[in-house]
Structures are given as C-alpha cells and as structure tokens.
C-alpha cells in the first residue's frame, strides 16, 4: 500500500514525505519479502516505469533474479538488518544495468516491518572503471615500453612492465629515479640531446627518432622513441615517451652498410669488368675494369658516351640472344662474344649475365661480367703456332731418324754384306787349294765360313729392322706378316693376324707408323708379358684405320703405362699423335693387354 499516513501527520512524517518525493536518489519503500509499497519520482525515471507499474512488479520484477549476488544480499540483510552492494536491475524495456543498492529494515508508525531501498545507477561509473581496467591491461601487455617523466625535475613517475623489462629493471624500480640514468654516452652531451628534443617538443608538441640508451647491466640498446607532453593533474607538465627496441634492426642496418661497402669495394676494385643495364639496354653502372676494357678512361666517361649497351656488341643479335636466355633462365653461363672498343677495334670477351629482380619478381636490371680474352687469344695463337712447330719438328726428327736408319741399313747391307760375301768366297778358294794336308785347318776354315754366313744373316736382320724393305716393296700387310713370322720363330708365341680389306693402299709414312707400333708391341710382349697367344686386327672403318693388338699375358699396370721411363710406349704415342690419331692401352692383371690405335685415313690419289 501507499504511505499516506494517518489523518494527523506528524511533523517528521511530513518532512520524510518531502524528502522522499524530491530526492535525487531513487528510493523504494518495500516489504522485507517481495512487495513494493512506494516508488519516488527518481525511481520511476530510473526504471522507466510508473509508481503503479513498479509496485505491481514487486522486487523480483525490477531486480535480476539470476544475479548470484541477490541471495547473498538478502542473507546479509536478514542477519544485520541492512545491506549495501551492487546488484543488477531491469528497466521497463528489459535492459539491465548495474546499480549500487542500499537496503535498510525499519518499522513504520503502525509497527509494521518495512525496508527503505536506495538505488544508484552506476552504469557510467562501471564504464569508466572498465575503461580504466582496459587501459591498465593495455599498459601491462603492450609491446612498447612507456614511461612518464616530470618536466620540472626529470624524475620518472610512471613505467609500464614492458619498459622495466626493456631496460632490465624490476617492476617499479625506475620510479623516482632521474631519467638521465637511461642515457648512453655519445659524442653529444646528454644536456644537448635533451635540449634538442625539448626545442622540437615546444614547437611541434611531439618528438620522434632514434635514441641510444643503456640498460641496468650496462649494455647498450637502440630505441625508437615517440615523445609528447601534456599537463597531468597530479604531476604538472610531463613527458610521455613510447620506446621500441630497434637494436636488432640497427645491427642489421650496420651489417647491410658494411656488406654494401664490401660489395662496392669489390665492384670498384675488381679486375673483372662488371656492368648493370636496364632491360631496355640503358647502361646504369660500370666499374673501372669494365670501362678501361672498352677504352674509356673512367666509368663516368663511359656512362656519358654509351647510351645503349647494344652498341658495344660487334653483332647486335648476340645481345638479343643474351636477353632470350635471361628471360627464360634468369641467368646465363659464360660465353665468348665479340665486342667493340671505343676506338672501333674488335676484341673478344667472356660474358656471363643475371637478372636482378625485386620481391614481386619485376626485373630491376641485368648484371653482366666481362672478362677480356685478348691476351688469352694471343696466347692460344702462340700455343697453336708452337704446337704446329713442335709437330713439324717431331715429324722432321722421325723422318731424319727413319732416313738415318735406312742409310745405316743400306750401308750395312751393301758394304758389310758384300765384304762378308767376298770373304766367304775367299775362304772357299783357300779351302779348294789346300787339299787334305791339314785336317785341323780345314775344320777351322769351315767354322769361319759358318760364322760368316750367320753374320750375313744377322746383318740382314738388323738391316730389315732398321729399314723394312718389304714394307716399301710389298706393303704393310706383307711387312706385318713377315714380322709375325720372325716373332713366332724367336719367341715361340703364337700370333694370329686378321685384316680387312685384303690389301691396304696407304702411304708409306702411315704404313711405317703401323709397322713400328706392331714392332714395339712385339718387343714388349716378348720381354714382359709371358703371353702364349697374340691377336692382331687391322681394318679400315669409315675414315679411320684401326689397329688392335691383344695378348693373353700377365697384363700391364697403369703405373707402367704412365711411367716416363716407358720410352717404347712414349714413341708409339708420339707417332700416333703426329698423325692426329689416338692410342689407348689397357691392361688387366692375369688377363693380358690391349693396344688400340685409331688414325685418320686419307685415300691415295
């Protein structure tokens, strides 16, 4: 029911009614149970209802019964007669809001138990509280270090946990200290650095830049700082700074600068010519070696005179070929290209190239390295001439050697042979005139004649070795067959000879080379191989003559093949080399040796 009082209101009741109706606080008069008897105008405004609507709903209609604090509040009130705390209330439109509720139990004039409930909307206070809590959490968890310094004495009055951690201090340890303890020694005095920052702050209201600071342990730390100033209600004018650790970035920048410096030094001092050019061919940069290679006094002179790199190429299509390779492969291995000097003369360079792209894959420029091949070309020509001279000299020496052997063979055969034949005839004449008077003398004459006949045969053998007349008279096939016959007779080693075609029409010099290789092979086989069988294959194949000699001996080692003391093998290689041919020798232990010769063949015209 409404409090209307009895017909005769007391003075105190009138005062209460006046306060109840005009109070700025929302007031409800309720029963300790659930009923609401009266609501003042402020309560109606706060809840968005009329007094009748409030009284009809009762306490559980305006208070959120799901709020766990409600039961605790009722329990406290029943024990102490009063309660003060926060509860959640509900407006007419269903919105909930936080309220501070004071509830006191009293008895009215009739002695009935009643409660006075004072309600204060603390939504705005809660919002501010939440915002302050959020700001506090942000300060605690922000990745930047924040501090606040009082202007008049440079004392640190606030730091967030990240700032303390950044500089190696315990939480709150910096509070009350002069900010100067964070400044690292530099070429500038701290007062000068501070004044420079203050001057900018006074003009723009803020300052930002890089600062070298020092940690508690003495280690240096680079920070990027944003500093602003404002008037604080408690500290007056203050400086608020936000610090980010950029030490790693600064070290990276230092490393990059050092790397760039090294690269620039390599670029400028390299003996290899280096250039960069746009994809369109505009020359962007060259080093001294590149400029000097092309006849320019300096890179600057070359860059001012050469508008497009294509003008450096003796054949412009070669530049196009390089671009095709770069667009396909992004790089090009070294290749020899003919280019043009400033004076118009041509020379050769080894060119390698690469595309340099940005992060998005766009070509920034093409880089090329040029190595002057002029000296190499001169050296190659000198080597070629020396090689030709050496080949001619070797051929001449072999010709002289064969001619001398032929002359020696002729002298032995014609001179000594004839004299020994005459001596043999004289011995026969002496014998015919002695009769049987001296048997011992006749025996001796017979022995002498036998020795002379053997000597004549040996002279023929030596003469044939020095100059195989059969080679020049009957050809290489007959000469090799003759060698095989002698080899078999002297060594007892069986030898088979296969050849295609039946007759070889080749010049005498080539025939002699083949003959000497077979001769040297027989010598090596007889001396070292312990072979029982030898096979020789000689044939014409396309434009080559192939000679294969195989034995079944003990084999030859790689060390023996490559030994500088193997003069016979060296002589074989020399003969084959002079005819632009190849000689391969293979040996396997207990499986024998193979000698394979290939010599280019030209038909006799």
């Amino acid at each position: 029911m409404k409090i209307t009082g009895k017909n005769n209101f007391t003075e105190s009741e009138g005062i209460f009614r006046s306060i109840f109706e005009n109070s700025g606080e929302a007031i409800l008069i309720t029963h300790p149970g659930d009923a609401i008897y009266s609501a003042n105008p402020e309560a109606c405004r706060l809840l968005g209802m009329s007094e009748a609507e409030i009284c009809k709903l009762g306490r559980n209609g305006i208070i959120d019964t799901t709020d766990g604090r409600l039961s605790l509040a009722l329990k406290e009130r029943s024990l102490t007669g009063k309660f003060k705390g926060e509860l959640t209330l509900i407006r007419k439109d269903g919105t909930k809001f936080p309220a501070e509720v004071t509830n006191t139990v009293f008895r009215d004039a009739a002695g009935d138990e009643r409660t006075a409930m004072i309600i204060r909307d603390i939504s705005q206070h809660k919002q501010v509280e939440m915002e302050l809590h959020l700001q506090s959490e942000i300060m605690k968890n922000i990745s930047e270090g924040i501090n606040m310094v009082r202007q008049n004495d440079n004392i640190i009055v606030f730091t967030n946990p990240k700032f303390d951690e950044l500089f190696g201090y315990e939480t709150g340890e910096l509070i009350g200290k002069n900010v100067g303890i964070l400044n690292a020694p530099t070429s500038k005095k701290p007062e000068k650095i501070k004044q420079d920052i203050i001057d900018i702050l006074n003009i723009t209201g803020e300052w930002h830049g890089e600062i070298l600071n020092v940690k508690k342990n003495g280690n240096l730390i680079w920070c990027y700082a944003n500093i602003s100033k404002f008037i604080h209600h408690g500290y007056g004018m203050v400086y608020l700074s936000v610090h980010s650790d950029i030490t790693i970035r600064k070290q990276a920048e230092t490393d990059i600068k050092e790397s760039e410096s090294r690269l620039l030094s390599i670029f400028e001092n390299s003996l290899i010519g280096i250039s960069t050019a746009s994809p369109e061919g505009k020359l962007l940069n060259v080093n001294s070696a590149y400029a000097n290679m092309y006849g320019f006094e300096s890179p600057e002179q070359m860059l001012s005179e050469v508008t497009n790199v294509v003008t450096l190429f003796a054949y412009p299509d070669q530049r196009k070929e390089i671009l095709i390779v770069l667009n396909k492969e992004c790089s090009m291995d070294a290749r020899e290209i003919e280019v043009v000097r400033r004076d118009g003369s041509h020379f050769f360079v080894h060119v390698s190239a690469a595309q340099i792209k940005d992060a998005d894959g766009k070509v920034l420029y093409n880089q090329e390295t040029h190595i002057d091949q002029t000296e190499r070309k001169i050296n190659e020509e000198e080597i070629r001439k020396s090689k030709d001279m050496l080949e001619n000299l070797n051929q001449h020496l072999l010709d002289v050697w064969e001619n001398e052997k032929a002359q020696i063979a002729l002298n032995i055969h014609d001179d000594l042979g004839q004299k020994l034949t005459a001596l043999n005839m004289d011995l026969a004449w002496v014998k015919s005139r002695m009769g049987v008077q001296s048997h011992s003398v006749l025996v001796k004459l017979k022995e002498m004649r036998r020795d002379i006949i053997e000597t004549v045969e040996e002279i023929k053998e030596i003469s044939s070795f020095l100059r195989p007349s059969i080679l020049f008279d009957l050809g290489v096939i007959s000469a090799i067959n003759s060698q095989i016959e002698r080899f078999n007779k002297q060594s007892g080693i069986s030898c088979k000879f296969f050849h295609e075609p039946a007759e070889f029409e080749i010049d005498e010099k080539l025939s002699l080379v083949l003959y000497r290789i077979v001769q040297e092979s027989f010598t090596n086989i007889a001396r070292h191989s312990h072979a029982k069988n030898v096979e020789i294959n000689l044939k014409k194949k396309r434009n080559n003559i192939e000679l294969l000699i195989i034995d079944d001996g003990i084999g030859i080692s790689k060390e023996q093949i490559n030994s500088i003391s193997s003069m016979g093998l060296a002589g074989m290689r020399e003969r084959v080399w002079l005819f632009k041919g190849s000689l391969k020798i293979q040996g396997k232990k207990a499986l024998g040796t193979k000698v394979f010769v290939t010599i280019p063949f030209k038909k006799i015209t």
Side-chain angles (χ1 to χ4, degrees), residues 65-233:
T65 57
T66 64
D67 187 342
R69 295 172 294 183
L70 177 60
S71 60
L72 296 175
L74 293 174
K75 183 177 181 181
E76 182 181 339
R77 191 190 64 181
S78 67
L79 293 173
T80 64
K82 61 183 177 179
F83 163 76
K84 183 177 182 180
E86 293 182 11
L87 292 173
T88 303
L89 273 65
I90 305 173
R91 291 188 175 91
K92 183 178 181 178
D93 61 6
T95 59
K96 297 179 180 182
F97 65 96
E100 182 183 74
V101 178
T102 302
N103 195 212
T104 305
V105 179
F106 69 95
R107 293 185 180 276
D108 62 9
D112 295 325
E113 195 174 55
R114 301 285 184 267
T115 66
M117 182 183 294
I118 300 174
I119 303 170
R120 296 185 182 90
D121 184 358
I122 59 173
S123 298
Q124 187 174 1
H125 171 75
K126 279 291 184 180
Q127 182 64 33
V128 171
E129 190 177 82
M130 288 176 62
E131 289 177 357
L132 289 174
H133 178 73
L134 177 62
Q135 291 175 9
S136 176
E137 289 300 310
I138 291 172
M139 283 294 182
K140 288 180 182 178
N141 297 286
I142 195 169
S143 59
E144 285 78 17
I146 300 173
N147 79 326
M148 191 164 67
V149 177
R150 204 159 49 211
Q151 183 191 50
N152 63 353
D153 57 6
N154 293 325
I155 296 299
I156 298 172
V157 295
F158 170 80
T159 61
N160 71 338
K162 184 63 179 179
F163 192 90
D164 296 326
E165 178 189 341
L166 199 63
F167 286 88
Y169 289 89
E170 298 294 331
T171 301
E173 187 179 354
L174 283 167
I175 305 298
K177 290 184 169 54
N178 192 293
V179 72
I181 67 171
L182 303 177
N183 297 331
T186 64
S187 57
K188 281 187 177 183
K189 292 182 178 180
E191 294 78 10
K192 174 62 176 169
I193 296 174
K194 174 186 172 185
Q195 192 58 49
D196 290 344
I197 294 175
I198 291 175
D199 290 343
I200 295 175
L201 279 169
N202 290 335
I203 297 172
T204 66
E206 63 176 343
W207 179 92
H208 54 84
E210 296 176 356
I211 300 177
L212 183 61
N213 293 124
V214 61
K215 293 185 176 184
K216 182 180 180 180
N217 61 8
N219 292 341
L220 299 180
I221 175 175
W222 276 100
C223 293
Y224 187 85
N226 286 280
I227 303 176
S228 58
K229 67 176 184 176
F230 66 95
I231 297 176
H232 187 273
H233 68 277

Side-chain angles (χ1 to χ4, degrees), residues 34 47 63 78 108 118 162 183 188 205 251 327 387 398 461 514 540 549 552 583 602:
D34 179 49
L47 296 173
I63 296 178
S78 67
D108 62 9
I118 300 174
K162 184 63 179 179
N183 297 331
K188 281 187 177 183
Q251 183 60 49
N327 290 331
K387 183 172 176 287
L398 281 175
E461 187 73 23
L514 297 173
K540 293 178 183 177
I549 304 171
D552 61 357
L583 171 68
K602 291 182 181 180

Side-chain angles (χ1 to χ4, degrees), residues 261-272 274 287:
S261 178
R262 288 194 296 269
L263 288 174
L264 181 60
S265 176
I266 292 171
F267 178 81
E268 292 177 344
N269 299 298
S270 175
L271 298 178
I272 297 174
I274 306 173
N287 65 352

Side-chain angles (χ1 to χ4, degrees), residues 312-420:
L312 301 176
F313 288 77
Y315 304 100
D317 285 347
Q318 290 183 326
R319 167 67 178 170
K320 295 179 182 178
E321 291 174 4
I322 292 176
L323 292 177
I324 290 172
V325 174
L326 289 180
N327 290 331
K328 184 178 180 181
E329 305 291 341
C330 296
S331 64
M332 185 190 77
D333 293 334
R335 61 175 62 181
E336 191 170 86
I337 291 176
E338 189 174 353
V339 291
V340 184
R341 289 192 181 92
R342 186 186 184 206
D343 60 8
S345 61
H346 289 205
F347 68 108
F348 288 90
V349 291
H350 260 159
V351 178
S352 57
Q355 282 184 340
I356 307 302
K357 300 180 179 181
D358 62 15
D360 297 325
K362 180 183 177 182
V363 178
L364 298 175
Y365 56 86
N366 295 327
Q367 179 174 294
E368 292 184 1
T369 58
H370 287 204
I371 302 175
D372 189 350
Q373 298 297 298
T374 303
E375 186 174 349
R376 184 183 67 81
K377 285 285 187 181
I378 293 173
N379 291 337
E380 284 180 352
E381 181 61 21
E382 291 296 326
I383 291 172
R384 187 191 64 78
K385 289 179 180 178
S386 298
K387 183 172 176 287
D388 290 343
M389 290 177 62
L390 182 59
E391 288 181 359
N392 292 334
L393 178 59
N394 285 338
Q395 185 62 61
H396 175 70
L397 291 175
L398 281 175
D399 290 344
V400 170
W401 185 24
E402 292 294 343
N403 290 335
E404 287 180 347
K405 289 197 291 185
Q407 187 63 44
I408 293 170
L410 187 61
N411 290 339
I412 291 174
H413 184 273
D414 293 349
D415 190 7
L416 291 179
Q418 290 177 7
K419 289 180 178 179
L420 286 170

Side-chain angles (χ1 to χ4, degrees), residues 223-268:
C223 293
Y224 187 85
N226 286 280
I227 303 176
S228 58
K229 67 176 184 176
F230 66 95
I231 297 176
H232 187 273
H233 68 277
Y235 300 118
M237 184 64 71
V238 294
Y239 299 121
L240 182 70
S241 65
V242 180
H243 284 62
S244 300
D245 185 355
I246 60 169
T247 306
I248 295 177
R249 193 195 80 191
K250 290 290 288 184
Q251 183 60 49
E253 289 175 355
T254 301
D255 293 342
I256 290 172
K257 287 180 180 179
E258 291 177 355
S259 178
E260 288 175 345
S261 178
R262 288 194 296 269
L263 288 174
L264 181 60
S265 176
I266 292 171
F267 178 81
E268 292 177 344

